[in-house]
C-alpha cells in the first residue's frame, strides 16, 4: 500500500497503540480502542427525478462513548468506504478528548456523488439515510454534523426528518445547522479561529514574534482563508496561498481578504495581482515561519517533507501529514500542532451549539469566541506539557492526553477489568 493510499484505519490504530504503550495502559484499553464499539451499515432506496430507483449504501460508526455521546460528521462522497469511516470516528474520539469535550467519537458517510444529484434527490437521500440510522442517533446518543460535501441545509433536513420520527422537535440531534434552526453563531469561523489560537500559543513558546512572522496557507477554502485573515489581523504576513488550481507568492505579503475576493471572482487564487504564480505544491515548501495545511489528507508526505522550511505547522486539515512525513518533520525539529488539536475549534463550537440547543438559550458571536479561546489554550497547554515531560512529538503527546482521558473514563466505568 503506498503512503498516499495507506488505510487510515491502520494509521489510527498505530497512533492509538503507541499512546497506550507509552501510557502503560491495561491491554483491554487498546483492545477496546482499536475498533468502533458499534458499526452500522445501511442500504436504502431513493427515487430519482427520472422516476427510477437507486439504492445507496451508508455507514455510521460509533467508536467510543465512555465520556459522552458519540459526535462526528457525516460525509457524502463517491470515494468513501467503511474503513475510512471507522478511522474518522476513532479520530473524533481523540479530537473531542484532546479538547476535554463531554463527547465520544462517531462518523458517518453515504457513498454517493452529491455533484450529480439534484436538490430534490439530495433531500430524499438525506431523509432516507436519517430514517435508517434514526434508532442509533439522538441528542444524548450520537450527534452528527457536516463534513465533506454535506452542509447546513442537509443538517436541516436531518433535523426535520428525525423530529418527525420522534413526534417533536429535536434540534440537538445534529450540529452545523442553519442559525434559524438552532445553529450557533461563530461556527463557520471556528476551525480557523481555533487553529490560529494554538498557532499563536506555539509562537509564544518558541519565541516567534507573530507581528514579524510569515505564513503560507495550503488550501484557501473555509478553514484556510479564514485562518489567513485571522493571522493577518495579528500582524502575520501572508506570503503564499494555494488552492487546487493555483499557488501565489509575494514575499512582501498579501491581503488575505483581497485574495478571497479574487478567488470568489475567478474561482482560484491563481494570477492574484502583484503575486508570482508558483508550481502546485509550493505552498508546503516555501520559506516561512508558519505553515497551515488546510486542504486534504496526506498532503505532506515523505516526498516533500524534507523540503518543508516552516518552523510551526498548524494542521487545520484532518490528516494532512502521513506517518512517514511526520517522522521527517520531527527529525527536522519542526513544531507540528496536530490535527486533533489544531482543527478542533469546529467541534468545540459544535459542542456549544448543542449546549445552546439543550438550554434553548442562545449566545452572541462574541460570547462563543470568548468561550472557544480559553478552551483551545488550555488544551494546547496540556499537550505541550505532555510533549515536554515525555520528550515525544506534539502529535504523540496529543494522543497520550486524549487516550488517557478516555481510558480513565473507561476504567471508572469498569470496562477495563
Ligand atoms: P473547503 O472545501 O472549503 O476548502 C478546501 C480548499 O483546499 C479549497 O480551497 C481547495 O481548492 C483546496 N485544495 C484542494 N486540493 C488542493 C491541493 N491539492 N493543493 C492545494 N489546495 C487544495 O474545505 P474546508 O472546510 O476548509 O476543510 C479543509 C480541511 O479542513 C479538510 O481537511 C477538513 O476535513 C478540515 N476541517 C474542516 C473543518 C471545518 O469546520 N470546515 C473542521 C475540521 C477540519
Amino acid at each position: 500500500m503506498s503512503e498516499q493510499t495507506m488505510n487510515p484505519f491502520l494509521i489510527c490504530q498505530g497512533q492509538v497503540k503507541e499512546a497506550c504503550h507509552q501510557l502503560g495502559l491495561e491491554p483491554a484499553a487498546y483492545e477496546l480502542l482499536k475498533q468502533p464499539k458499534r458499526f452500522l451499515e445501511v442500504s436504502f432506496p431513493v427515487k430519482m427525478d427520472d422516476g427510477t430507483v437507486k439504492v445507496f449504501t451508508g455507514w455510521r460508526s460509533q467508536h467510543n462513548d465512555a465520556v459522552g455521546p458519540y459526535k462526528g460528521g457525516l460525509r457524502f462522497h463517491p470515494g468513501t468506504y467503511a474503513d475510512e469511516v471507522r478511522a474518522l470516528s476513532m479520530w473524533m474520539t481523540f479530537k473531542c478528548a484532546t479538547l476535554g469535550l463531554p463527547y465520544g467519537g462517531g462518523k458517518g458517510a453515504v457513498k454517493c456523488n452529491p455533484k450529480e444529484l439534484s436538490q430534490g434527490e439530495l433531500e430524499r437521500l438525506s431523509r432516507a439515510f436519517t430514517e435508517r440510522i434514526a434508532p442509533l442517533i439522538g441528542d444524548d446518543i450520537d450527534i452528527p454534523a457536516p463534513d465533506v460535501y454535506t452542509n447546513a441545509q442537509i443538517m436541516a433536513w436531518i433535523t426535520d426528518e428525525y423530529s418527525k420520527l420522534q413526534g417533536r422537535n429535536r434540534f440537538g440531534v445534529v450540529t452545523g445547522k442553519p442559525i434559524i434552526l438552532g445553529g450557533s453563531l461563530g461556527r463557520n469561523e471556528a476551525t480557523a479561529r481555533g487553529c490560529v489560537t494554538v498557532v499563536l500559543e506555539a509562537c509564544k513558546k518558541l519565541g516567534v514574534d507573530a507581528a514579524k512572522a510569515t505564513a503560507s496557507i495550503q488550501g484557501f477554502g473555509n478553514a484556510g482563508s479564514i485562518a489567513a485573515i485571522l493571522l493577518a489581523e495579528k500582524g502575520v504576513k501572508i506570503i503564499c496561498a494555494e488552492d487546487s488550481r493555483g499557488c501565489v507568492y509575494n514575499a512582501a505579503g498579501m491581503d488575505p481578504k483581497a485574495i478571497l475576493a479574487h478567488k470568489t471572482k475567478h474561482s482560484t487564487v491563481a494570477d492574484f495581482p502583484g503575486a508570482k504564480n508558483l508550481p502546485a505544491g509550493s505552498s508546503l515548501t516555501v520559506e516561512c515561519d508558519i505553515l497551515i495545511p488546510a486542504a486534504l489528507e496526506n498532503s505532506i508526505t515523505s516526498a516533500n517533507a524534507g523540503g518543508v522550511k516552516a518552523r510551526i505547522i498548524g494542521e487545520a486539515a484532518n490528516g494532512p501529514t502521513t506517518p512517514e512525513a511526520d517522522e521527517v518533520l520531527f527529525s527536522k525539529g519542526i513544531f507540528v500542532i496536530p490535527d486533533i488539536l489544531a482543527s478542533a475549534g469546529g467541534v468545540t463550537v459544535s459542542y456549544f451549539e448543542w449546549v445552546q440547543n439543550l438550554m434553548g438559550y442562545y449566545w452572541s458571536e462574541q460570547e462563543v469566541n470568548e468561550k472557544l479561546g480559553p478552551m483551545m489554550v488550555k488544551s494546547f497547554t496540556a499537550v505541550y506539557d505532555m510533549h515536554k515531560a515525555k520528550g515525544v512529538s506534539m502529535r504523540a503527546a496529543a494522543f497520550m492526553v486524549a487516550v488517557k482521558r478516555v481510558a480513565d473514563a473507561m476504567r471508572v466505568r469498569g470496562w477495563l477489568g
Side-chain angles (χ1 to χ4, degrees):
M1 203 173 270
S2 86
E3 199 180 328
Q4 280 82 355
T5 58
M6 195 172 163
N7 186 328
F9 186 45
L10 299 179
I11 294 178
C12 193
Q13 283 183 331
Q15 291 165 331
V16 176
K17 193 172 196 171
E18 180 59 25
C20 289
H21 171 73
Q22 291 271 359
L23 292 163
L25 296 181
E26 335 38 349
Y30 178 66
E31 291 305 311
L32 281 171
L33 292 175
K34 75 178 185 188
Q35 66 223 324
K37 182 169 162 184
R38 189 186 281 135
F39 188 80
L40 176 71
E41 177 170 303
V42 298
S43 66
F44 52 93
V46 175
K47 191 167 275 181
M48 308 306 280
D49 290 345
D50 65 5
T52 60
V53 167
K54 254 196 188 169
V55 177
F56 291 87
T57 301
W59 302 273
R60 186 73 193 169
S61 176
Q62 299 182 329
H63 175 250
N64 187 286
D65 65 345
V67 301
Y70 306 100
K71 181 89 191 85
L74 176 60
R75 123 178 347 193
F76 287 179
H77 196 275
T80 189
Y81 55 103
D83 268 2
E84 179 184 63
V85 184
R86 285 188 179 89
L88 290 166
S89 72
M90 286 173 80
W91 274 316
M92 281 309 298
T93 297
F94 303 117
K95 191 182 279 194
C96 292
T98 303
L99 264 290
L101 303 179
Y103 284 143
K107 202 82 179 189
V110 175
K111 197 172 176 61
C112 66
N113 188 351
K115 290 181 182 169
E116 291 172 356
L117 299 173
S118 69
Q119 275 295 96
E121 289 167 342
L122 198 56
E123 176 174 352
R124 292 193 288 281
L125 181 144
S126 304
R127 289 184 184 276
F129 180 65
T130 304
E131 191 268 330
R132 283 293 192 268
I133 65 166
L136 294 192
I137 62 172
D139 56 28
D140 56 354
I141 308 171
D142 182 357
I143 306 133
D147 190 67
V148 176
Y149 294 157
T150 55
N151 54 26
Q153 175 59 73
I154 291 172
M155 297 305 115
W157 290 325
I158 295 175
T159 306
D160 186 65
E161 191 65 25
Y162 185 78
S163 296
K164 273 191 208 163
L165 292 167
Q166 295 288 312
R168 61 209 156 120
N169 279 337
R170 303 305 302 182
F171 286 1
V173 68
V174 293
T175 58
K177 298 178 294 290
I179 301 295
I180 190 70
L181 217 61
S184 180
L185 295 169
R187 173 64 187 85
N188 199 38
E189 300 78 19
T191 301
R193 192 174 289 281
C195 180
V196 168
T197 303
V198 294
V199 164
L200 293 174
E201 286 303 299
C203 286
K204 283 188 216 158
K205 297 282 185 201
L206 302 182
V208 174
D209 181 357
K212 292 190 187 130
T214 55
S216 175
I217 315 287
Q218 186 232 13
F220 211 75
N222 176 279
S225 65
I226 300 174
I229 291 167
L230 295 174
L231 283 169
E233 281 173 9
K234 297 290 173 190
V236 177
K237 225 194 270 180
I238 308 301
I239 58 164
C240 189
E242 178 164 4
D243 64 17
S244 58
R245 297 167 65 187
C247 179
V248 289
Y249 177 85
N250 185 340
M254 300 174 285
D255 172 5
K257 286 186 182 163
I259 306 176
L260 191 57
H262 177 88
K263 183 174 163 77
T264 307
K265 193 166 170 200
H266 302 282
S267 305
T268 173
V269 299
D271 301 324
F272 178 65
K276 202 160 72 175
N277 287 308
L278 294 185
S282 301
S283 61
L284 298 173
T285 52
V286 293
E287 187 112 32
C288 61
D289 298 302
I290 300 162
L291 170 62
I292 309 285
L296 303 177
E297 309 88 77
N298 298 344
S299 298
I300 307 178
T301 67
S302 55
N304 56 19
V308 175
K309 298 174 196 74
R311 293 179 67 186
I312 297 168
I313 298 180
E315 292 184 340
N318 280 310
T321 310
T322 68
E324 291 82 354
D326 224 11
E327 282 177 26
V328 177
L329 299 176
F330 188 61
S331 70
K332 287 173 64 130
I334 296 173
F335 190 86
V336 179
I337 313 171
D339 50 1
I340 61 169
L341 173 60
S343 78
V347 69
T348 303
V349 175
S350 273
Y351 163 58
F352 296 161
E353 177 176 333
W354 177 77
V355 168
Q356 292 172 78
N357 295 152
L358 299 189
M359 287 193 300
Y361 176 72
Y362 289 85
W363 304 336
S364 68
E365 187 166 352
Q366 189 185 343
E367 283 175 280
V368 168
N369 293 343
E370 282 171 3
K371 288 178 167 64
L372 173 62
M375 285 182 73
M376 296 302 305
V377 172
K378 191 172 163 206
S379 309
F380 175 88
T381 305
V383 173
Y384 184 80
D385 290 349
M386 181 69 90
H387 152 75
K388 281 287 174 199
K390 303 286 179 187
V392 295
S393 70
M394 283 288 284
R395 190 182 315 280
F399 269 92
M400 286 170 73
V401 166
V403 167
K404 182 175 183 319
R405 284 181 179 154
V406 178
D408 286 349
M410 294 199 297
R411 190 173 303 109
V412 291
R413 292 182 71 152
W415 296 4
L416 300 185

